[in-house]
Amino acid sequence: MNCRILPAFALLALLVACSKPVPKAEPVRAVKTVRVQPQSAQATQEFAAEVRAKTESRLGFRVGGKITRRDVDVGSAVAAGQVLAQLDSKDLQLGQDAAAAGFVAARVNLEQAQADYRRFKDLLEQGFISAAELERRESVVKSAQAQFDQAKAQASAQGNQTGYATLVADASGVITGIDAEPGMVVAAGATVLRLAHNGPRDVVFSVPEDQVAAIKALGATRGAFKIRLWGQTGLAHAATLREIAAAADPVTRTFLVKADIGSIRGVRLGQTATVVVELPRVAGITKLPLSALREEQGKAAVWVVDEPTMTVALRPVQVLGTQGNEVVIGAGVSPQQIVVTAGVHVLEPGQKVKLFAQPGAVAAADASGRVAPAQRGTN
């Protein structure tokens, strides 16, 4: 009989060894939460900015040639009419000399034609020539006059060309960039120097696509834009919206915004600044801790707890701005919903959770993980 029992036990052991292990139940994760309450707030947005001149010119020669001299460096303060750079003007000077010689020849030719006309006019009065001959002489005078005018204009234009070999400052300001050095051959109009004009300054910053409309709407609102300059703690300067780019940057997909800060003493070009935009007060919004946000496919989202099943679901939300350590939500969550505020990066859709109980509290939780309202975390 023992011989028959042993094979039965061996078969049972083999079946147990080949069967799949029972999957281990996933533990219920405790999460900190907050219950959504409708509020009203005035959101603010902060953007990194840079101080630039309101007017910046790219200076270049009006003729092409080889640069022989540059008289300024980056950071040099220049006055209107000051010489900045010089081209090799030998060929231009030769052209001017040729134009001057042509002008003299045309003047002599005109004077000769006028003298001949006067003589032939006297001969006509004496009856020695016909009227037709005098008309031909008059035509010669008109042609000589036209040639003289043309030579005069060419000489004047060539003189201007020679003058264009000297680059002068159009206005007072500061040299902010150098794009060509002595020895280089540049074409007419190519940028050689960049000049930031003295006067009002702008702060330049980039705005995401979804906030352009709000920034544009605040353009006429007095005090909507505040500027904090680096190194000036606590000091804020008012700014006025001046320009918003018509097209987005092809790389960053943001829109360039310029705000006029006027002439503030001590402001340096290129200085870092922070632009604080105060948005209009909005009712029916929600404030949540920054830790509640999660990025999902490039958009902000939060985990919402379904109370009957105590599972979490990801909900996209509209972020209006920040206030301290809180984020202002415009849409995406409803009043009285429970939102997870900690551990958002370790949750998965449909995951079962339980509400976190503060240390020392008596957690009277049922089998589903719900606890008494007085013991729910409200961080």
Side-chain angles (χ1 to χ4, degrees), residues 55 98 116 204 317:
T55 303
D116 291 343
V204 181
V317 294

Side-chain angles (χ1 to χ4, degrees), residues 253-314:
R253 305 307 305 167
T254 58
F255 289 78
L256 194 68
V257 180
K258 296 180 181 180
D260 186 2
I261 60 175
S263 300
I264 300 177
R265 190 173 183 179
V267 175
R268 299 184 301 276
L269 293 174
Q271 187 172 358
T272 303
T274 301
V275 178
V276 182
V277 181
E278 295 182 357
L279 302 175
R281 182 169 289 277
V282 180
I285 54 89
T286 300
K287 292 182 182 179
L288 296 175
L290 287 171
S291 59
L293 286 184
R294 172 192 173 120
E295 184 178 356
E296 187 70 19
Q297 296 181 353
K299 297 182 179 179
V302 297
W303 289 107
V304 175
V305 179
D306 180 51
E307 290 191 86
T309 62
M310 291 306 294
T311 57
V312 292
L314 199 60

Side-chain angles (χ1 to χ4, degrees), residues 63-309:
V63 294
K66 182 179 180 179
I67 301 176
T68 59
R69 191 178 78 247
R70 175 170 57 80
D71 299 333
V72 293
D73 297 313
V74 173
S76 299
V78 300
Q82 179 177 336
V83 175
L84 306 179
Q86 180 70 46
L87 286 179
D88 183 359
S89 60
K90 293 179 181 178
D91 293 341
L92 297 173
Q93 187 63 49
L94 291 175
Q96 183 179 6
D97 295 342
F103 170 70
V104 172
R107 184 178 62 188
V108 172
N109 184 48
L110 175 61
E111 292 174 351
Q112 182 63 47
Q114 290 173 340
D116 291 343
Y117 176 76
R118 287 192 296 268
R119 286 193 296 270
F120 275 85
K121 187 175 182 182
D122 293 339
L123 292 174
L124 177 63
E125 293 176 354
Q126 297 174 14
F128 291 104
I129 62 172
S130 64
E133 182 65 26
L134 183 62
E135 290 177 358
R136 284 195 294 271
R137 294 298 171 177
E138 185 179 4
S139 299
V140 172
V141 171
K142 291 180 179 179
S143 177
Q145 181 66 51
Q147 293 176 359
F148 172 79
D149 294 339
Q150 180 182 11
K152 182 179 179 180
Q154 288 179 345
S156 178
Q158 193 62 44
N160 291 339
Q161 294 285 311
T162 304
Y164 295 154
T166 301
L167 182 62
V168 298
D170 297 333
S172 299
V174 179
I175 301 298
T176 58
I178 296 175
D179 297 329
E181 296 289 348
M184 294 178 60
V185 177
V186 294
T191 301
V192 176
L193 302 170
R194 282 168 282 165
L195 173 66
H197 295 203
N198 290 338
R201 300 300 190 218
D202 284 345
V203 287
V204 181
F205 56 100
S206 297
V207 174
E209 298 179 56
D210 60 343
Q211 298 179 14
V212 172
I215 296 297
K216 186 179 296 185
L218 293 173
T221 304
R222 184 176 181 84
F225 297 87
K226 300 291 185 182
I227 309 300
R228 291 201 305 265
L229 299 173
W230 187 85
Q232 297 184 1
T233 306
L235 294 179
H237 306 278
T240 304
L241 182 65
R242 188 172 70 84
E243 179 183 311
I244 299 180
D249 184 275
V251 178
T252 63
R253 305 307 305 167
T254 58
F255 289 78
L256 194 68
V257 180
K258 296 180 181 180
D260 186 2
I261 60 175
S263 300
I264 300 177
R265 190 173 183 179
V267 175
R268 299 184 301 276
L269 293 174
Q271 187 172 358
T272 303
T274 301
V275 178
V276 182
V277 181
E278 295 182 357
L279 302 175
R281 182 169 289 277
V282 180
I285 54 89
T286 300
K287 292 182 182 179
L288 296 175
L290 287 171
S291 59
L293 286 184
R294 172 192 173 120
E295 184 178 356
E296 187 70 19
Q297 296 181 353
K299 297 182 179 179
V302 297
W303 289 107
V304 175
V305 179
D306 180 51
E307 290 191 86
T309 62

